[in-house]
Amino acid sequence: MKPDAMDAVFAALASRERRQMLDLVLAHPGCGVNQVAAHFAMSRVGVLKHLRLLEEAGLVLSEKVGRVRRLYFNAVPIQQIHARWSDRYGALFANHMVAIQERVESRNRQRKTNRA
Amino acid sequence: MPEPAIARETSPTQALFRIHIRGSLQEVWDEITRTDDVIPCFFNMRMHAERLQKGARLQMRTKSEKYVGVVGEVLEWDPPRRFAHTFRFTQMDDPPCKVSYELVEKDDGVEFTLRISELTPGTKSAKQMVQGAVMILNTLKAVIETGRPSLGTRALFVLFALLEPLTPRRCRTENWSSN
């Protein structure tokens, strides 16, 4: 993930209103802007500005269906950020998996030898 | 950090996921449509089809080809930009959903969109489709940009291979020869 893209995600998430909007879009995939705006005591233009920031950060995807713009939550940028700081645990997990594989294969080899 | 949570609609009928990949359109297209080897971004399964074209039947088989995990039919085939097919897990009796892959050249790379639609609300398939989407995109990006999946994903593939013998008998390839 490029530094600018990561900055955009953190900036988008650094607002309580935008986090709540993200919650709404996550909870109601395909919802419209009006549906989101109904939950906030701010103008529709204000809501649109927040949604634009979320969209620019890649956290919200929108597509036009007829006259309505439908909104969807995109988990990918958050997962990429998570992966950046959790890879060391991934490595630990990988070592355990490889150890399990080796144990199972060694046991199977031993069984075959005993049968022979 | 208590913030009011919003009740989540657990059964959406459509979901969208998007990622930017530093690679060419053709590289990404070839990776998601290859039939000569396993496809890491599709959980290291092997796509099996006589010939990929509209109307063709396809299967996602395990690396050993002993089991079929997914069956489907190609609905759209527009190389190298759009590929859509029906998708049904062989382990479940849920109705099929539709999966489409959309590729657009953008910012010296490819904007890759995965669209899952016609999900049947409340089914286990719908839940698994949405849960697996992020891994598909991240693995595809890693393979195109670095040549291989992340270490954690490679570890998962080892686990999948170990658990393959526990796959239900109904998924054995001979039971899906007509699909």
Side-chain angles (χ1 to χ4, degrees):
Chain A
M1 192 177 205
K2 287 181 180 172
D4 287 352
M6 196 174 285
D7 287 349
V9 173
F10 280 112
L13 292 173
S15 148
R16 184 177 300 182
E17 285 79 13
R18 285 197 288 276
R19 289 196 295 275
Q20 286 173 341
M21 287 176 193
L22 209 52
D23 282 340
L24 272 165
V25 175
L26 171 65
H28 303 284
C31 64
V33 174
N34 288 345
Q35 213 175 328
V36 175
H39 287 78
F40 296 90
M42 67 172 83
S43 68
R44 192 173 183 277
V45 174
V47 171
L48 277 170
K49 275 185 186 172
H50 284 298
L51 286 174
R52 195 180 309 132
L53 279 171
L54 288 168
E55 207 173 334
E56 283 168 3
L59 293 164
V60 165
L61 304 178
S62 75
E63 64 171 5
K64 212 159 184 197
V65 180
R67 295 169 64 184
V68 180
R69 186 163 286 280
R70 302 222 170 268
L71 307 170
Y72 295 90
F73 171 65
N74 183 29
V76 174
I78 289 176
Q79 209 283 335
Q80 285 178 313
I81 288 171
H82 169 76
R84 173 175 166 153
W85 281 284
S86 61
D87 262 6
R88 71 180 68 180
Y89 301 108
L92 184 68
F93 181 60
N95 286 337
H96 282 310
M97 290 301 109
V98 171
I100 290 171
Q101 182 189 31
E102 282 168 0
R103 274 206 298 277
V104 170
E105 288 180 353
S106 152
R107 202 174 299 157
N108 287 346
R109 273 198 300 272
Q110 189 64 44
R111 275 184 193 151
K112 277 180 191 165
T113 311
N114 291 345
R115 267 188 227 139
Chain B
M1 291 187 288
E3 280 189 26
I6 291 167
R8 188 167 178 185
E9 188 180 311
T10 51
S11 303
T13 57
Q14 174 162 299
L16 285 182
F17 301 89
R18 185 171 292 156
I19 200 164
H20 183 269
I21 299 171
R22 289 191 298 276
S24 72
L25 210 56
Q26 197 62 47
E27 280 176 311
V28 177
W29 178 262
D30 289 346
E31 186 58 31
I32 62 166
T33 58
R34 64 191 305 171
T35 53
D36 61 337
D37 200 355
V38 293
I39 306 180
C41 70
F42 294 153
F43 302 92
N44 222 29
M45 296 192 100
R46 190 185 290 271
M47 182 141 57
H48 178 83
E50 287 294 315
R51 187 182 169 207
L52 282 170
Q53 58 184 0
K54 191 176 175 184
R57 293 196 178 276
L58 64 82
Q59 295 182 344
M60 298 285 184
R61 294 180 177 179
T62 54
K63 191 176 179 181
S64 68
E65 300 215 45
K66 286 181 184 168
Y67 298 93
V68 176
V70 172
V71 291
E73 181 186 331
V74 179
L75 301 172
E76 295 173 62
W77 180 255
D78 182 17
R81 299 183 186 277
R82 194 175 168 84
F83 173 30
H85 60 86
T86 60
F87 185 111
R88 183 162 92 78
F89 287 114
T90 54
Q91 275 202 42
M92 302 166 203
D93 293 319
D94 299 334
C97 62
K98 181 180 168 184
V99 174
S100 42
Y101 312 97
E102 297 156 20
L103 289 69
V104 176
E105 279 176 312
K106 196 172 180 184
D107 299 333
D108 295 329
V110 177
E111 187 181 75
F112 182 83
T113 303
L114 169 61
R115 180 188 303 269
I116 307 168
S117 54
E118 298 174 24
L119 287 162
T120 305
T123 57
K124 199 174 171 186
S125 294
K127 195 177 169 189
Q128 286 201 3
M129 290 301 291
V130 173
Q131 284 176 343
V134 176
M135 187 173 166
I136 290 174
L137 267 63
N138 281 328
T139 306
L140 178 60
K141 181 180 173 73
V143 168
I144 299 295
E145 294 184 357
T146 70
R148 61 183 188 168
S150 70
L151 187 60
T153 304
R154 295 202 306 276
L156 268 181
F157 293 163
V158 171
L159 187 64
F160 291 163
L162 283 169
L163 297 177
E164 191 186 313
L166 302 178
T167 309
R169 293 176 68 88
R170 66 183 287 184
C171 302
R172 289 192 68 93
T173 302
E174 61 262 31
N175 296 332
W176 298 90
S177 54
S178 59
N179 286 89

